[in-house]
């Protein structure tokens, strides 16, 4: 005879940022909450984020134009009711020191583990049952309750099921598409998913030109259509990375070109012609160009454009080509590094089927989706964490 299932008010699958936030809020309302996660430790994405310092929010994270999805405005309700200032107040109350790095990005002064400890302490205080190293083996709906069996052999019955399992990004940390499977099981649509905030890759011929530049970084403007980002860019052995590239990757699609300015705001041709007029143009072209862009990049571009001599020996048409190579470099990536290095997943559970105030599935009472599993994806720089806090908080008020 099988043991009777444990009864809970709420089962949350996923002990990441959104899941822990939802658990805390529901627990504070007196709800009996069970959080399960197949990982051995909670908040693994929090731990590795921001170089280990956790870029926990962004001062501009209330702006829905900094989010992507079929309907980015869906995020407005949760973001407007639980704001960056609200999470900052929580961090301050926990005594965690932080700083603004750039572009509104907030980081811990010390370690991302402080954020995880804060959330764990809050869950403990709220009486949350946290089970790590535990996967959901089966799930279904019986009447007005959800029945689950877990990998530890136990069974659970709950009035509410919250899917906070994230997307497919960084599979080495155990990321899967489980949340999308749950949505489809309950006949909810899932929009196309793809890696986002991810380095872009080049085909072999182009790589032969750019591989010698691996490790070279520039402050760049990277554009895709009308979308542009002005941040650092890094040449890699596979193609391009750095914040500007990660940002544009969320908008880029296979077959599309991107345009790069590697010395934004600098009149390259004007500078080179002025150098050419000095000292009889005796300075080498690559030397003059290295005063504008890093030396290795200058050497590569001068060689590629056939401008290896002295400035006096090079015509203005060649110098104009160098200006184009520096500030109007149009290149067509062949792909991305995929989910292996993607920070987030673009796409997910279709927002038209969710209540924007509560994150509940409209057609399935008691079923909620929060965080990255939903078709809402933020820019690089703390936006996705704020979406996790806000959507988790919103569901936590009602589950």
């Amino acid at each position: 005879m099988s043991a009777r299932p444990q009864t809970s008010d709420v089962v949350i699958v996923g002990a990441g940022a959104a899941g822990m936030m939802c658990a805390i809020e529901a627990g504070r309302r007196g709800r009996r909450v069970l959080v399960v996660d197949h990982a051995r430790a909670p908040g693994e994405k929090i731990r590795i984020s921001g170089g280990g310092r956790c870029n926990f929010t962004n001062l501009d994270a209330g702006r829905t134009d900094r989010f992507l999805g079929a309907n980015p405005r869906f995020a407005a309700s949760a973001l407007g009711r639980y704001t960056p200032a609200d999470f900052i107040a929580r961090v301050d109350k926990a005594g965690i020191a932080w700083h603004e790095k750039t572009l509104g990005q907030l980081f811990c002064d010390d370690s991302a583990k402080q954020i995880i400890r804060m959330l764990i302490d809050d869950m403990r205080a709220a009486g949350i049952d946290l089970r790590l190293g535990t996967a959901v083996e089966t799930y279904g709906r019986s009447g007005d309750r959800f029945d689950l069996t877990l990998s530890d052999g136990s069974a659970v019955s709950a009035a509410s099921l919250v899917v906070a399992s994230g997307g497919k990004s960084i599979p080495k940390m155990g990321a899967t598409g489980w949340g999308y499977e749950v949505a489809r099981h309950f006949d909810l649509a899932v929009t196309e998913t793809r890696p986002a905030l991810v380095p872009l890759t080049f085909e072999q011929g182009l790589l032969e030109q750019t591989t010698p530049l691996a490790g070279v970084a520039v402050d760049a403007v990277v554009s895709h259509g009308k979308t542009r980002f002005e941040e650092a860019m890094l040449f890699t052995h596979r193609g391009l990375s750095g914040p500007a590239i990660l940002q544009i990757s969320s908008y880029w699609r296979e077959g599309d070109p991107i345009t790069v300015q590697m010395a934004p705001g600098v009149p390259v041709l004007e500078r080179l012609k002025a150098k050419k007029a000095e000292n009889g143009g005796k300075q080498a072209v690559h030397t003059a160009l290295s005063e504008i862009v890093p030396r290795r990049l200058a050497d590569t571009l001068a060689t590629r454009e056939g401008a290896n001599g002295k400035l006096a020996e090079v015509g203005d048409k060649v110098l104009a080509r160098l200006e184009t190579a520096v500030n109007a470099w149009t290149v067509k990536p062949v792909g991305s590094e995929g989910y292996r290095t993607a920070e987030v997943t673009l796409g997910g559970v279709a927002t038209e089927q969710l209540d924007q105030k509560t994150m509940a599935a409209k057609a399935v009472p008691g079923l909620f989706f929060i965080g990255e599993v939903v078709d809402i994806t933020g820019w690089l720089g703390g936006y996705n964490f704020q979406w996790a806090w806000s959507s988790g908080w919103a569901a936590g008020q009602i589950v």
Side-chain angles (χ1 to χ4, degrees), residues 144-269:
D144 60 354
R145 298 184 72 81
F146 294 89
D147 297 319
L148 300 89
T149 59
L150 308 180
S151 61
D152 63 5
S154 64
V156 185
S157 172
S160 296
L161 173 61
V162 181
V163 179
S165 54
K168 298 178 181 179
S169 57
I170 320 183
K172 69 180 180 181
M173 287 173 45
T176 69
W178 185 82
Y180 311 134
E181 295 172 16
V182 175
R184 294 188 182 104
H185 175 85
F186 289 105
D187 296 322
L188 302 181
V190 176
T191 64
E192 178 190 3
T193 57
R194 58 183 289 119
L197 301 181
V198 63
L200 298 177
T201 57
F202 292 160
E203 51 86 17
Q204 193 56 41
L206 183 55
L207 269 183
E208 289 174 1
Q209 300 177 35
T210 61
T211 295
L213 295 171
V216 172
V218 294
D219 289 327
V221 173
V222 180
S223 305
H224 174 269
K226 294 181 180 179
T227 304
R228 64 200 299 271
F229 291 97
E230 184 168 1
E231 292 190 66
M233 183 185 81
L234 175 71
F235 287 89
T236 73
H237 289 289
R238 297 185 182 91
L240 296 173
S241 188
I245 294 297
L246 300 188
Q247 295 278 38
I248 212 70
S249 72
S250 296
Y251 296 84
W252 174 83
R253 295 294 180 272
E254 286 79 358
D256 292 352
I258 60 173
T259 300
V260 181
Q261 299 175 46
M262 292 182 281
V266 177
V268 177
L269 178 58

Side-chain angles (χ1 to χ4, degrees), residues 33 63 104 108 256 308 363:
V33 182
R63 294 177 51 175
C108 297
D256 292 352
N308 276 327

Side-chain angles (χ1 to χ4, degrees), residues 1-293:
M1 185 175 177
S2 60
R4 292 183 62 183
Q6 171 189 345
T7 58
S8 288
D9 294 319
V10 187
V11 171
I12 299 172
V13 182
M20 288 193 283
M21 177 62 88
C22 182
I24 292 162
E25 292 301 310
R28 287 175 174 175
R29 291 173 43 241
R31 306 290 279 167
R32 291 173 300 164
V33 182
L34 169 64
V35 178
V36 297
D37 198 308
H38 60 74
R40 295 291 173 185
E44 280 294 272
K45 269 199 171 181
I46 298 173
R47 182 182 62 80
I48 68 169
S49 70
R53 297 199 175 203
C54 187
N55 181 189
F56 58 82
T57 192
N58 192 293
L59 296 176
D60 290 325
R63 294 177 51 175
T64 55
D65 62 348
R66 303 289 173 90
F67 291 84
L68 295 83
N71 176 24
R73 288 289 303 167
F74 173 87
S77 176
L79 292 170
R81 288 181 299 128
Y82 191 82
T83 67
D86 291 321
F87 193 76
I88 292 167
R90 189 175 294 225
V91 170
D92 287 342
K93 185 178 179 181
I96 300 172
W98 55 270
H99 61 279
E100 180 182 353
K101 190 172 180 182
T102 182
L103 301 173
Q105 302 169 12
L106 305 190
F107 290 77
C108 297
D109 284 358
D110 186 12
S111 169
K113 293 178 182 178
Q114 293 177 295
I115 299 291
I116 299 172
R117 280 197 295 270
M118 174 188 77
L119 296 168
I120 292 173
D121 288 346
D122 285 350
M123 284 200 295
R124 186 177 294 116
I128 307 305
D129 181 0
L130 173 62
R131 290 193 212 169
L132 300 170
T134 305
V136 175
E137 294 196 336
T138 67
Y139 56 87
R141 188 168 170 79
S142 177
D144 60 354
R145 298 184 72 81
F146 294 89
D147 297 319
L148 300 89
T149 59
L150 308 180
S151 61
D152 63 5
S154 64
V156 185
S157 172
S160 296
L161 173 61
V162 181
V163 179
S165 54
K168 298 178 181 179
S169 57
I170 320 183
K172 69 180 180 181
M173 287 173 45
T176 69
W178 185 82
Y180 311 134
E181 295 172 16
V182 175
R184 294 188 182 104
H185 175 85
F186 289 105
D187 296 322
L188 302 181
V190 176
T191 64
E192 178 190 3
T193 57
R194 58 183 289 119
L197 301 181
V198 63
L200 298 177
T201 57
F202 292 160
E203 51 86 17
Q204 193 56 41
L206 183 55
L207 269 183
E208 289 174 1
Q209 300 177 35
T210 61
T211 295
L213 295 171
V216 172
V218 294
D219 289 327
V221 173
V222 180
S223 305
H224 174 269
K226 294 181 180 179
T227 304
R228 64 200 299 271
F229 291 97
E230 184 168 1
E231 292 190 66
M233 183 185 81
L234 175 71
F235 287 89
T236 73
H237 289 289
R238 297 185 182 91
L240 296 173
S241 188
I245 294 297
L246 300 188
Q247 295 278 38
I248 212 70
S249 72
S250 296
Y251 296 84
W252 174 83
R253 295 294 180 272
E254 286 79 358
D256 292 352
I258 60 173
T259 300
V260 181
Q261 299 175 46
M262 292 182 281
V266 177
V268 177
L269 178 58
E270 185 181 311
R271 288 269 193 95
L272 293 177
K273 287 170 75 173
K275 284 288 183 181
K276 184 177 180 179
E278 294 177 6
N279 304 317
K282 293 179 181 178
Q283 189 177 39
V285 176
H286 64 84
T287 301
L289 192 58
S290 70
E291 297 175 13
I292 299 172
V293 296

